[in-house]
Amino acid sequence: MTPRSVRAACALLCVATFLSLVPGGGLPAPPVQAAPLAAPADGFADPAIRAVWARADAAVAAGQANRSWLWGPGPFYTTYEAANGTPTGVHLVQYFDKGRLEVNDPGASRNSPWFVTGGLLVREMVQGRISTGAEAGDWEARPPAPIPVAGDPGADAAPSYATARALVDAPPPGNRTGARAALALNAAGSVSSLTKLPAPVTLGAYEPQSRHNVADVFWRYIQAGGAGPAANWVYTLGLPLTEPFWVRARVGTATRDVLVQLFERRSLTYTPGNAAAWQVEMGNVGRQYYDWRYADLHPDTKTATTRTRYTVQAHVGDDRGLDVVESIHYVNTTAARVLLHEVVLRVVYHHWRNAFTVQGAQAAGQGTTTRWRDEVNLAIALPAPLAPGAAVDLELRFGLHPPSFGGRHGYDAANDLLTLGDWLPSVVPYENGGWDQFPYGEHGDQGINDVADYRVTFTSDRAIVVGGTGTTTAHESRRWVFDAPGVRDVAYTISPHLLNPFADGAMTRNAGGVQVLGYFLPGHRAAGGALLDTVAAAIRWYSAHIGPYPYRVFTVGEMALPRAAEWDYAQEYPMVYLIPTQRAGTAPTPGAWTWYTPLHETAHAWFYGAVGNNQLIDPWLDEALANFASAEYVRSQRPDLYAAAFRAMSGPGGGWPVSASLYSGFPSDDAYFHAVYDQGTQFLAEVRAAIGADRFWAAWRDYYAHYTGARARPRDLLTTWQRYSPTDLTPIFNRYLAAW
């Protein structure tokens, strides 16, 4: 009988699996498992979204309906996007091939037919405006989408949404029911009237609100329920934006005549040459909009001179509660160059009742107000709009009372051990039309931070030992100071009982110039020393094979005893690896979780610590890479253990793609780990096999060098791999990633 898996949140690899590893013969390459032709759909983030999809497409998915998709096989991308005017300032969105479904107010009545709505994607692509709210000024300008309204891109492509702007801006013609559908648009944007139609199509209905006519082939499709219930077709399509118009579209190797009509939410196409059941179809506007919106996120790019600075004074009470004064120097570096009226901080501890209390706030030296935009997002109002390039100084005073459940966010009274992970409010990036604010994520890590500069001072009335992120510039018994420039977050472990590495030389190691510090309870001194040896060896190997470790110090320490199974895991933060105290007394043993877990967590210093990512939306971009790096370390250092290690670290995804986000409807931690960690490791192994080992490692070093200090996105890694690959990697990407 093995212990419960410790692979929750960020950490791990499974205790049960790793304890079963035994030495065995190495293999020259990892076993390649059978994979589907395409990645599975992302999970449904809300039962109400699934219900909308099921009413239309469940029969198609089961092969019981001979028609095209209304939405698609399932969602392929899940996130939260800015939505000013909603109760939380954001809304949950799920992208499907044919459109986007949204939950604007999770507290609204689920019986309302408008609890789930559809996005106005076509209108935004044509107008070149990304909606960020309900008010007139809530939008971000983008060039209109240069994506064909029908068919494939490339030579001989159909006119684009940008080209169709000429039709959208034209005065509506009024009621012309019964007239021929003779309007045509070419790729250059020229509008004409055809004398000979590709098919006998007329205008079959008139929509008085938009004053546009609907082609008879589309109206019959609507009335037959092709767009959902005929009486509520606007819910799916929106109002017509244009008259129907003919285009020449390239489909595969052929060029065809296609009738197109743009609606606010969807496009409809009619291809006379298709079989009858497939002549009218929904355009793939969900995929098209996703490509348009997320190809260029307009990132909030920070430099060494503009990155945020945090100066923190934290007093640790005898009850291990904290009184904190946090000073923040913030520069408006928004790519869209917008005026900011507030600054939004992510406050993870507000997720737990009474764990976080705002005591006061200032902006530019004046008292100001705060409001919770979502459960864990706190907006600080600015006394005057902050112009692009301008800076403001903020101060937040708060009380912190870590929960008693222990783990990375709690307090362990039995050992008087306090762990501060995700404890410090931090400014979220501003991009894509709004603040990157997200709800608390149940299954994984909470990080979306840019690198920033931190100075953190802990004081107490009695002697304590503190270890964590940064270089310790003062380590007095009642005052500890940490300087941490250029990190994404700070985390600490605190207790009067921890061994002090500045007083105990056995708790330090040198890893190629990197100082490795250990903070362990006295009874774990020997096992802690062995763990420091493991971590130091991993730092040297990763530095040689991926790129230099970017900081001067790495800390390994015990964290609070988990009081519940879901908190029983190891955890990494920038410059820090924390292990649950009940596991800190076991020395690392090759072939067991005690060796593989520190390899994984140390690898996060490269992936998330150095090369950042959005851990809520793209968790695979650090977790799969850290997992695979630890497997490669085993391949190099203990080839006799590699085959068993790889089998333990990889596997099928269990119905979710590698690219799934924390909000993809995972029913359990295990489901999350199977998709992101296990299947992610298999994905990287296939890429390595396709590229070749030498090219793969060269690409990885290039990616690390280029994106260290930045937040990378999946396309950044995938394009780097493709640049080094002698073959097209698209089939591999499509098997594992639902969106990229």
Side-chain angles (χ1 to χ4, degrees):
M1 185 72 178
T2 55
R4 177 190 179 274
S5 168
V6 293
R7 293 189 319 174
C10 160
L12 258 86
L13 307 168
C14 186
V15 169
T17 302
F18 285 142
L19 287 178
S20 69
L21 295 180
V22 294
L27 296 178
V32 177
Q33 301 171 359
L37 294 178
D42 205 350
F44 289 90
D46 190 285
I49 292 178
R50 183 183 182 89
V52 171
W53 173 87
R55 284 195 295 270
D57 284 339
V60 180
Q64 299 169 352
N66 185 30
R67 65 165 178 80
S68 59
W69 296 101
L70 179 58
W71 296 100
F76 67 84
Y77 185 68
T78 305
T79 190
Y80 283 79
E81 293 173 346
N84 188 38
T86 63
T88 61
V90 294
H91 59 173
L92 171 67
V93 299
Q94 291 209 278
Y95 284 86
F96 297 76
D97 288 351
K98 309 294 183 180
R100 185 180 75 197
L101 288 174
E102 313 162 347
V103 175
N104 292 307
D105 181 1
S109 171
R110 289 180 169 265
N111 296 322
S112 168
W114 298 101
F115 180 79
V116 178
T117 59
L120 303 172
L121 306 187
V122 175
R123 188 174 74 180
E124 293 184 25
M125 285 193 286
V126 172
Q127 292 180 341
R129 289 187 172 192
I130 288 179
S131 174
T132 59
E135 300 299 323
D138 292 337
W139 55 273
E140 180 180 307
R142 294 283 183 90
I147 299 171
V149 295
D152 301 325
D156 301 323
S160 68
Y161 289 96
T163 305
R165 178 75 180 263
L167 293 176
V168 174
D169 291 344
N175 192 341
R176 298 184 64 243
T177 304
R180 298 163 71 245
L183 195 67
L185 180 69
N186 68 19
S190 177
V191 181
S192 61
S193 181
L194 299 177
T195 57
K196 182 179 180 181
L197 300 185
V201 180
T202 61
L203 303 179
Y206 175 66
E207 206 300 307
Q209 188 171 343
S210 67
R211 296 189 295 149
H212 279 296
N213 300 276
V214 180
D216 60 356
V217 290
F218 297 145
W219 190 245
R220 287 194 295 270
Y221 174 82
I222 290 169
Q223 293 304 299
N232 196 26
W233 60 272
V234 175
Y235 175 89
T236 303
L237 297 176
L239 297 173
L241 292 173
T242 67
E243 295 292 290
F245 58 95
W246 291 96
V247 301
R248 295 283 288 171
R250 185 167 68 86
V251 182
T253 59
T255 301
R256 301 183 180 184
D257 292 302
V258 180
L259 185 70
V260 179
Q261 187 155 16
L262 302 184
F263 297 77
E264 292 174 305
R265 295 183 170 91
R266 302 291 193 99
S267 67
L268 286 176
T269 63
Y270 167 66
T271 308
N274 283 356
W278 310 99
Q279 287 181 334
V280 176
E281 297 179 275
M282 294 280 180
N284 287 326
V285 300
R287 288 280 180 179
Q288 293 167 336
Y289 182 92
Y290 170 83
D291 288 341
W292 173 63
R293 179 166 183 160
Y294 287 97
D296 179 8
L297 269 177
H298 285 203
D300 181 3
T301 303
K302 299 290 186 183
T303 67
T305 57
T306 62
R307 64 194 184 198
T308 306
R309 297 199 305 267
Y310 299 88
T311 304
V312 182
Q313 302 283 337
H315 185 78
V316 182
D318 290 345
D319 64 351
R320 300 305 175 236
L322 279 74
D323 288 308
V324 183
V325 179
E326 179 183 19
S327 300
I328 304 171
H329 179 79
Y330 176 78
V331 181
N332 179 354
T333 54
T334 55
R337 300 188 61 78
V338 298
L339 293 172
L340 297 176
H341 299 273
E342 58 188 5
V343 175
V344 177
L345 310 181
R346 185 166 179 81
V347 187
V348 172
Y349 275 63
H350 196 249
H351 175 68
W352 300 289
R353 183 178 177 85
N354 299 324
F356 186 93
T357 305
V358 175
Q359 297 171 342
Q362 291 186 352
Q366 305 177 31
T368 189
T369 59
T370 62
R371 66 186 179 102
W372 292 103
R373 289 186 58 161
D374 201 343
E375 179 188 49
V376 295
N377 297 281
L378 181 67
I380 300 179
L382 301 180
L386 187 65
V392 65
D393 289 307
L394 309 172
E395 182 181 276
L396 182 67
R397 298 182 302 282
F398 60 91
L400 202 67
H401 303 281
S404 61
F405 52 60
R408 63 177 173 172
H409 298 134
Y411 176 57
D412 166 12
N415 295 295
D416 194 5
L417 189 56
L418 171 65
T419 304
L420 298 177
D422 304 299
W423 67 290
L424 191 66
S426 56
V427 181
V428 300
Y430 186 103
E431 60 191 6
N432 213 26
W435 296 99
D436 271 349
Q437 63 174 76
F438 297 91
Y440 179 80
E442 292 296 337
H443 298 297
D445 289 333
Q446 303 297 312
I448 53 173
N449 299 344
D450 286 312
V451 295
D453 297 336
Y454 293 81
R455 167 167 281 192
V456 182
T457 300
F458 291 98
T459 59
S460 65
D461 295 331
R462 293 175 174 79
I464 56 174
V465 175
V466 184
T469 307
T471 299
T472 312
T473 56
H475 42 85
E476 304 158 8
S477 65
R478 292 185 293 173
R479 180 175 178 271
W480 292 71
V481 181
F482 297 84
D483 282 338
V487 300
R488 300 186 189 281
D489 194 6
V490 291
Y492 299 94
T493 185
I494 301 173
S495 174
H497 307 303
L498 291 170
L499 295 172
N500 182 350
F502 298 99
D504 186 343
M507 291 292 99
T508 64
R509 298 291 186 274
N510 185 294
V514 177
Q515 186 183 34
V516 183
L517 302 175
Y519 291 81
F520 296 93
L521 296 175
H524 302 154
R525 190 172 186 273
L531 182 56
L532 294 181
D533 292 333
T534 297
V535 168
I539 289 174
R540 287 190 289 267
W541 193 88
Y542 294 145
S543 293
H545 289 79
I546 300 172
Y549 175 76
Y551 309 110
R552 294 169 52 192
V553 177
F554 189 88
T555 294
V556 183
E558 298 189 28
M559 67 180 181
L561 175 70
R563 296 293 182 182
E566 61 264 30
W567 299 107
D568 184 9
Y569 50 79
Q571 179 66 37
E572 107 288 340
Y573 291 99
M575 306 174 67
V576 177
Y577 158 43
L578 299 173
I579 182 172
T581 185
Q582 82 277 18
R583 306 193 183 281
T586 304
T589 302
W593 71 269
T594 53
W595 190 48
Y596 295 102
T597 296
L599 300 181
H600 175 99
E601 303 301 351
T602 304
H604 275 298
W606 281 257
F607 303 113
Y608 188 70
V611 180
N613 61 290
N614 187 330
Q615 292 183 313
L616 295 156
I617 302 302
D618 302 311
W620 76 270
L621 206 52
D622 67 302
E623 296 297 358
L625 271 62
N627 221 31
F628 185 77
S630 60
E632 290 295 285
Y633 180 91
V634 176
R635 184 205 293 264
S636 171
Q637 300 301 296
R638 287 294 303 269
D640 58 311
L641 297 178
Y642 173 67
F646 185 83
R647 284 195 297 271
M649 295 183 196
S650 65
W656 278 264
V658 172
S659 54
S661 80
L662 265 61
Y663 308 106
S664 295
F666 289 109
S668 65
D669 286 338
D670 283 345
Y672 168 70
F673 283 104
H674 286 322
V676 174
Y677 289 64
D678 299 346
Q679 190 175 216
T681 301
Q682 178 67 36
F683 169 45
L684 267 69
E686 286 202 31
V687 172
R688 182 187 188 276
I691 296 177
D694 291 343
R695 291 190 184 96
F696 179 85
W697 281 102
W700 218 358
R701 287 190 291 270
D702 187 349
Y703 170 75
Y704 176 75
H706 187 78
Y707 292 102
T708 288
R711 278 182 297 119
R713 295 174 173 84
R715 291 186 188 187
D716 299 326
L717 177 60
L718 303 181
T719 54
T720 302
W721 277 340
Q722 187 61 72
R723 193 167 64 248
Y724 280 81
S725 177
T727 61
D728 182 11
L729 298 175
T730 300
I732 299 176
F733 297 164
N734 285 340
R735 281 201 298 274
Y736 289 98
L737 307 176
W740 53 278

